[in-house]
Tab-separated table of all heavy atoms in Angstrom:
chain	number	residue	atom	x	y	z
Z	173	ARG	N	-6.360	21.316	13.826
Z	173	ARG	CA	-6.940	22.231	12.820
Z	173	ARG	C	-7.203	21.496	11.513
Z	173	ARG	O	-8.231	21.690	10.877
Z	173	ARG	CB	-5.992	23.420	12.571
Z	173	ARG	CG	-6.201	24.584	13.519
Z	173	ARG	CD	-5.501	25.848	12.995
Z	173	ARG	NE	-4.058	25.686	12.848
Z	173	ARG	CZ	-3.185	25.850	13.853
Z	173	ARG	NH1	-3.605	26.161	15.060
Z	173	ARG	NH2	-1.890	25.687	13.642
Z	174	VAL	N	-6.271	20.663	11.111
Z	174	VAL	CA	-6.434	19.898	9.869
Z	174	VAL	C	-7.658	18.984	9.958
Z	174	VAL	O	-8.518	18.970	9.068
Z	174	VAL	CB	-5.174	19.046	9.578
Z	174	VAL	CG1	-5.430	18.068	8.441
Z	174	VAL	CG2	-3.990	19.955	9.250
Z	175	PHE	N	-7.737	18.231	11.053
Z	175	PHE	CA	-8.857	17.285	11.214
Z	175	PHE	C	-10.187	18.031	11.305
Z	175	PHE	O	-11.168	17.630	10.665
Z	175	PHE	CB	-8.636	16.421	12.468
Z	175	PHE	CG	-7.818	15.197	12.188
Z	175	PHE	CD1	-6.435	15.260	12.115
Z	175	PHE	CD2	-8.437	13.966	11.973
Z	175	PHE	CE1	-5.676	14.131	11.839
Z	175	PHE	CE2	-7.690	12.828	11.697
Z	175	PHE	CZ	-6.301	12.911	11.636
Z	176	ALA	N	-10.236	19.098	12.104
Z	176	ALA	CA	-11.496	19.820	12.296
Z	176	ALA	C	-11.983	20.422	10.981
Z	176	ALA	O	-13.175	20.382	10.668
Z	176	ALA	CB	-11.306	20.908	13.361
Z	177	GLY	N	-11.047	20.945	10.198
Z	177	GLY	CA	-11.418	21.557	8.925
Z	177	GLY	C	-12.016	20.543	7.961
Z	177	GLY	O	-13.031	20.809	7.302
Z	178	LEU	N	-11.415	19.367	7.890
Z	178	LEU	CA	-11.918	18.333	6.976
Z	178	LEU	C	-13.227	17.736	7.487
Z	178	LEU	O	-14.130	17.434	6.706
Z	178	LEU	CB	-10.858	17.235	6.791
Z	178	LEU	CG	-9.663	17.681	5.943
Z	178	LEU	CD1	-8.512	16.690	6.060
Z	178	LEU	CD2	-10.069	17.833	4.484
Z	179	ASP	N	-13.344	17.605	8.820
Z	179	ASP	CA	-14.575	17.058	9.384
Z	179	ASP	C	-15.752	18.000	9.113
Z	179	ASP	O	-16.855	17.561	8.795
Z	179	ASP	CB	-14.404	16.847	10.892
Z	179	ASP	CG	-15.535	16.019	11.481
Z	179	ASP	OD1	-15.790	14.914	10.963
Z	179	ASP	OD2	-16.177	16.479	12.450
Z	180	ALA	N	-15.497	19.299	9.213
Z	180	ALA	CA	-16.560	20.288	8.981
Z	180	ALA	C	-17.076	20.198	7.553
Z	180	ALA	O	-18.249	20.454	7.281
Z	180	ALA	CB	-16.037	21.697	9.270
Z	181	MET	N	-16.221	19.818	6.635
Z	181	MET	CA	-16.629	19.753	5.230
Z	181	MET	C	-17.218	18.384	4.856
Z	181	MET	O	-18.173	18.306	4.095
Z	181	MET	CB	-15.417	20.048	4.340
Z	181	MET	CG	-15.726	20.018	2.850
Z	181	MET	SD	-14.288	20.463	1.842
Z	181	MET	CE	-14.272	22.236	2.060
Z	182	PHE	N	-16.677	17.311	5.414
Z	182	PHE	CA	-17.018	15.974	4.906
Z	182	PHE	C	-17.884	15.118	5.832
Z	182	PHE	O	-18.323	14.046	5.433
Z	182	PHE	CB	-15.731	15.199	4.579
Z	182	PHE	CG	-14.984	15.766	3.404
Z	182	PHE	CD1	-13.914	16.626	3.576
Z	182	PHE	CD2	-15.391	15.458	2.116
Z	182	PHE	CE1	-13.237	17.156	2.487
Z	182	PHE	CE2	-14.723	15.981	1.030
Z	182	PHE	CZ	-13.649	16.836	1.211
Z	183	SER	N	-18.135	15.572	7.066
Z	183	SER	CA	-18.896	14.722	7.975
Z	183	SER	C	-20.367	14.634	7.586
Z	183	SER	O	-21.020	15.639	7.330
Z	183	SER	CB	-18.789	15.262	9.404
Z	183	SER	OG	-19.636	14.504	10.247
Z	184	LEU	N	-20.876	13.403	7.560
Z	184	LEU	CA	-22.316	13.216	7.319
Z	184	LEU	C	-23.082	13.309	8.634
Z	184	LEU	O	-24.305	13.222	8.658
Z	184	LEU	CB	-22.560	11.860	6.645
Z	184	LEU	CG	-22.166	11.800	5.150
Z	184	LEU	CD1	-22.196	10.367	4.637
Z	184	LEU	CD2	-23.078	12.689	4.304
Z	185	TYR	N	-22.357	13.467	9.741
Z	185	TYR	CA	-23.000	13.633	11.047
Z	185	TYR	C	-23.244	15.111	11.355
Z	185	TYR	O	-23.845	15.445	12.358
Z	185	TYR	CB	-22.137	13.006	12.155
Z	185	TYR	CG	-22.011	11.509	12.013
Z	185	TYR	CD1	-20.922	10.940	11.352
Z	185	TYR	CD2	-22.997	10.657	12.507
Z	185	TYR	CE1	-20.808	9.564	11.196
Z	185	TYR	CE2	-22.888	9.281	12.360
Z	185	TYR	CZ	-21.802	8.736	11.702
Z	185	TYR	OH	-21.696	7.375	11.548
Z	186	ARG	N	-22.731	15.992	10.509
Z	186	ARG	CA	-22.956	17.423	10.681
Z	186	ARG	C	-23.916	17.894	9.594
Z	186	ARG	O	-23.571	17.878	8.411
Z	186	ARG	CB	-21.641	18.205	10.540
Z	186	ARG	CG	-20.626	17.874	11.605
Z	186	ARG	CD	-19.296	18.542	11.269
Z	186	ARG	NE	-18.287	18.231	12.272
Z	186	ARG	CZ	-18.115	18.920	13.393
Z	186	ARG	NH1	-18.878	19.966	13.653
Z	186	ARG	NH2	-17.190	18.576	14.255
Z	187	PRO	N	-25.127	18.303	10.007
Z	187	PRO	CA	-26.147	18.680	9.018
Z	187	PRO	C	-25.693	19.826	8.112
Z	187	PRO	O	-26.146	19.937	6.970
Z	187	PRO	CB	-27.337	19.128	9.885
Z	187	PRO	CG	-27.074	18.574	11.243
Z	187	PRO	CD	-25.596	18.435	11.389
Z	188	ASP	N	-24.772	20.665	8.617
Z	188	ASP	CA	-24.370	21.838	7.847
Z	188	ASP	C	-23.147	21.591	6.969
Z	188	ASP	O	-22.679	22.495	6.277
Z	188	ASP	CB	-24.078	23.000	8.811
Z	188	ASP	CG	-23.014	22.625	9.841
Z	188	ASP	OD1	-22.874	21.412	10.140
Z	188	ASP	OD2	-22.320	23.531	10.345
Z	189	SER	N	-22.623	20.372	6.970
Z	189	SER	CA	-21.426	20.107	6.164
Z	189	SER	C	-21.777	20.045	4.678
Z	189	SER	O	-22.926	19.776	4.300
Z	189	SER	CB	-20.773	18.787	6.588
Z	189	SER	OG	-21.542	17.688	6.143
Z	190	GLU	N	-20.784	20.271	3.851
Z	190	GLU	CA	-20.990	20.188	2.405
Z	190	GLU	C	-21.453	18.782	2.019
Z	190	GLU	O	-22.304	18.603	1.155
Z	190	GLU	CB	-19.680	20.537	1.683
Z	190	GLU	CG	-19.875	20.864	0.220
Z	190	GLU	CD	-18.623	21.473	-0.410
Z	190	GLU	OE1	-17.639	21.747	0.301
Z	190	GLU	OE2	-18.649	21.673	-1.636
Z	191	ALA	N	-20.880	17.773	2.694
Z	191	ALA	CA	-21.266	16.384	2.405
Z	191	ALA	C	-22.741	16.149	2.721
Z	191	ALA	O	-23.449	15.480	1.961
Z	191	ALA	CB	-20.390	15.430	3.213
Z	192	SER	N	-23.220	16.708	3.840
Z	192	SER	CA	-24.624	16.524	4.208
Z	192	SER	C	-25.548	17.245	3.241
Z	192	SER	O	-26.606	16.741	2.875
Z	192	SER	CB	-24.877	17.036	5.634
Z	192	SER	OG	-24.256	16.194	6.575
Z	193	ARG	N	-25.155	18.435	2.825
Z	193	ARG	CA	-25.985	19.166	1.860
Z	193	ARG	C	-26.056	18.408	0.543
Z	193	ARG	O	-27.086	18.383	-0.123
Z	193	ARG	CB	-25.426	20.581	1.650
Z	193	ARG	CG	-25.824	21.527	2.780
Z	193	ARG	CD	-25.369	22.942	2.511
Z	193	ARG	NE	-23.950	23.092	2.795
Z	193	ARG	CZ	-23.096	23.718	1.999
Z	193	ARG	NH1	-23.495	24.241	0.862
Z	193	ARG	NH2	-21.821	23.819	2.328
Z	194	MET	N	-24.961	17.750	0.197
Z	194	MET	CA	-24.972	16.955	-1.031
Z	194	MET	C	-25.838	15.705	-0.856
Z	194	MET	O	-26.568	15.321	-1.773
Z	194	MET	CB	-23.545	16.561	-1.402
Z	194	MET	CG	-23.425	16.116	-2.842
Z	194	MET	SD	-21.763	16.290	-3.455
Z	194	MET	CE	-21.462	18.018	-3.246
Z	195	ALA	N	-25.778	15.099	0.322
Z	195	ALA	CA	-26.603	13.909	0.590
Z	195	ALA	C	-28.084	14.260	0.514
Z	195	ALA	O	-28.902	13.434	0.121
Z	195	ALA	CB	-26.259	13.338	1.961
Z	196	ARG	N	-28.416	15.511	0.881
Z	196	ARG	CA	-29.818	15.954	0.803
Z	196	ARG	C	-30.146	16.514	-0.580
Z	196	ARG	O	-31.220	17.075	-0.783
Z	196	ARG	CB	-30.083	17.035	1.867
Z	196	ARG	CG	-30.006	16.547	3.301
Z	196	ARG	CD	-30.556	17.586	4.278
Z	196	ARG	NE	-29.844	18.860	4.201
Z	196	ARG	CZ	-28.826	19.188	5.008
Z	196	ARG	NH1	-28.421	18.339	5.932
Z	196	ARG	NH2	-28.230	20.354	4.882
Z	197	SER	N	-29.202	16.394	-1.502
Z	197	SER	CA	-29.380	16.887	-2.882
Z	197	SER	C	-29.603	18.392	-2.953
Z	197	SER	O	-30.237	18.880	-3.888
Z	197	SER	CB	-30.546	16.163	-3.578
Z	197	SER	OG	-30.314	14.780	-3.578
Z	198	GLU	N	-29.107	19.127	-1.975
Z	198	GLU	CA	-29.215	20.587	-2.020
Z	198	GLU	C	-28.160	21.183	-2.943
Z	198	GLU	O	-28.344	22.256	-3.502
Z	198	GLU	CB	-29.060	21.177	-0.608
Z	198	GLU	CG	-30.224	20.852	0.306
Z	198	GLU	CD	-29.957	21.240	1.749
Z	198	GLU	OE1	-29.037	22.051	2.001
Z	198	GLU	OE2	-30.662	20.692	2.618
Z	199	VAL	N	-27.046	20.463	-3.060
Z	199	VAL	CA	-26.019	20.869	-4.020
Z	199	VAL	C	-25.594	19.637	-4.816
Z	199	VAL	O	-25.769	18.505	-4.362
Z	199	VAL	CB	-24.755	21.467	-3.333
Z	199	VAL	CG1	-25.028	22.851	-2.811
Z	199	VAL	CG2	-24.266	20.546	-2.230
Z	200	THR	N	-25.062	19.865	-5.998
Z	200	THR	CA	-24.550	18.754	-6.796
Z	200	THR	C	-23.040	18.849	-6.841
Z	200	THR	O	-22.458	19.869	-6.451
Z	200	THR	CB	-25.092	18.800	-8.234
Z	200	THR	OG1	-24.579	19.985	-8.851
Z	200	THR	CG2	-26.612	18.816	-8.245
Z	201	LEU	N	-22.415	17.812	-7.325
Z	201	LEU	CA	-20.952	17.807	-7.418
Z	201	LEU	C	-20.442	18.979	-8.240
Z	201	LEU	O	-19.375	19.523	-7.994
Z	201	LEU	CB	-20.480	16.497	-8.060
Z	201	LEU	CG	-19.982	15.401	-7.135
Z	201	LEU	CD1	-19.559	14.203	-7.945
Z	201	LEU	CD2	-18.812	15.902	-6.285
Z	202	ARG	N	-21.243	19.375	-9.234
Z	202	ARG	CA	-20.813	20.463	-10.109
Z	202	ARG	C	-20.662	21.768	-9.345
Z	202	ARG	O	-19.813	22.592	-9.648
Z	202	ARG	CB	-21.809	20.628	-11.265
Z	202	ARG	CG	-21.190	21.185	-12.522
Z	202	ARG	CD	-22.170	21.221	-13.652
Z	202	ARG	NE	-23.437	21.844	-13.230
Z	202	ARG	CZ	-24.454	22.019	-14.057
Z	202	ARG	NH1	-24.374	21.631	-15.305
Z	202	ARG	NH2	-25.573	22.580	-13.628
Z	203	ASP	N	-21.523	21.925	-8.308
Z	203	ASP	CA	-21.467	23.161	-7.516
Z	203	ASP	C	-20.543	23.023	-6.316
Z	203	ASP	O	-20.349	23.972	-5.561
Z	203	ASP	CB	-22.870	23.511	-6.993
Z	203	ASP	CG	-23.921	23.397	-8.080
Z	203	ASP	OD1	-23.624	23.845	-9.196
Z	203	ASP	OD2	-25.003	22.842	-7.803
Z	204	ALA	N	-19.994	21.823	-6.122
Z	204	ALA	CA	-19.195	21.585	-4.920
Z	204	ALA	C	-17.895	22.382	-4.957
Z	204	ALA	O	-17.432	22.804	-6.016
Z	204	ALA	CB	-18.877	20.098	-4.799
Z	205	SER	N	-17.333	22.572	-3.766
Z	205	SER	CA	-16.067	23.298	-3.672
Z	205	SER	C	-14.960	22.485	-4.340
Z	205	SER	O	-15.070	21.272	-4.514
Z	205	SER	CB	-15.711	23.524	-2.198
Z	205	SER	OG	-15.454	22.284	-1.575
Z	206	ALA	N	-13.889	23.195	-4.702
Z	206	ALA	CA	-12.763	22.525	-5.362
Z	206	ALA	C	-12.187	21.436	-4.453
Z	206	ALA	O	-11.819	20.353	-4.908
Z	206	ALA	CB	-11.687	23.547	-5.723
Z	207	ALA	N	-12.122	21.719	-3.149
Z	207	ALA	CA	-11.564	20.750	-2.200
Z	207	ALA	C	-12.424	19.489	-2.160
Z	207	ALA	O	-11.911	18.365	-2.114
Z	207	ALA	CB	-11.472	21.363	-0.806
Z	208	PHE	N	-13.737	19.683	-2.183
Z	208	PHE	CA	-14.647	18.538	-2.143
Z	208	PHE	C	-14.491	17.687	-3.396
Z	208	PHE	O	-14.401	16.465	-3.341
Z	208	PHE	CB	-16.095	19.033	-2.014
Z	208	PHE	CG	-17.056	17.949	-1.597
Z	208	PHE	CD1	-17.433	17.809	-0.278
Z	208	PHE	CD2	-17.571	17.063	-2.536
Z	208	PHE	CE1	-18.307	16.803	0.119
Z	208	PHE	CE2	-18.440	16.060	-2.149
Z	208	PHE	CZ	-18.806	15.922	-0.833
Z	209	ARG	N	-14.438	18.370	-4.535
Z	209	ARG	CA	-14.307	17.622	-5.796
Z	209	ARG	C	-12.969	16.897	-5.880
Z	209	ARG	O	-12.871	15.808	-6.446
Z	209	ARG	CB	-14.506	18.554	-6.992
Z	209	ARG	CG	-15.983	18.766	-7.323
Z	209	ARG	CD	-16.149	19.670	-8.502
Z	209	ARG	NE	-15.689	21.025	-8.164
Z	209	ARG	CZ	-15.283	21.914	-9.061
Z	209	ARG	NH1	-15.259	21.600	-10.324
Z	209	ARG	NH2	-14.902	23.112	-8.677
Z	210	ALA	N	-11.937	17.504	-5.311
Z	210	ALA	CA	-10.617	16.863	-5.344
Z	210	ALA	C	-10.643	15.536	-4.575
Z	210	ALA	O	-10.092	14.525	-5.027
Z	210	ALA	CB	-9.560	17.793	-4.753
Side-chain angles (χ1 to χ4, degrees):
Chain Z
R173 272 195 300 276
V174 170
F175 273 81
L178 288 167
D179 192 53
M181 180 177 283
F182 292 98
S183 174
L184 286 169
Y185 295 95
R186 296 172 181 273
D188 57 334
S189 73
E190 196 169 354
S192 290
R193 280 185 282 135
M194 198 157 301
R196 293 192 301 265
S197 302
E198 291 171 18
V199 286
T200 65
L201 261 180
R202 208 175 49 179
D203 314 318
S205 66
F208 195 98
R209 277 180 293 156

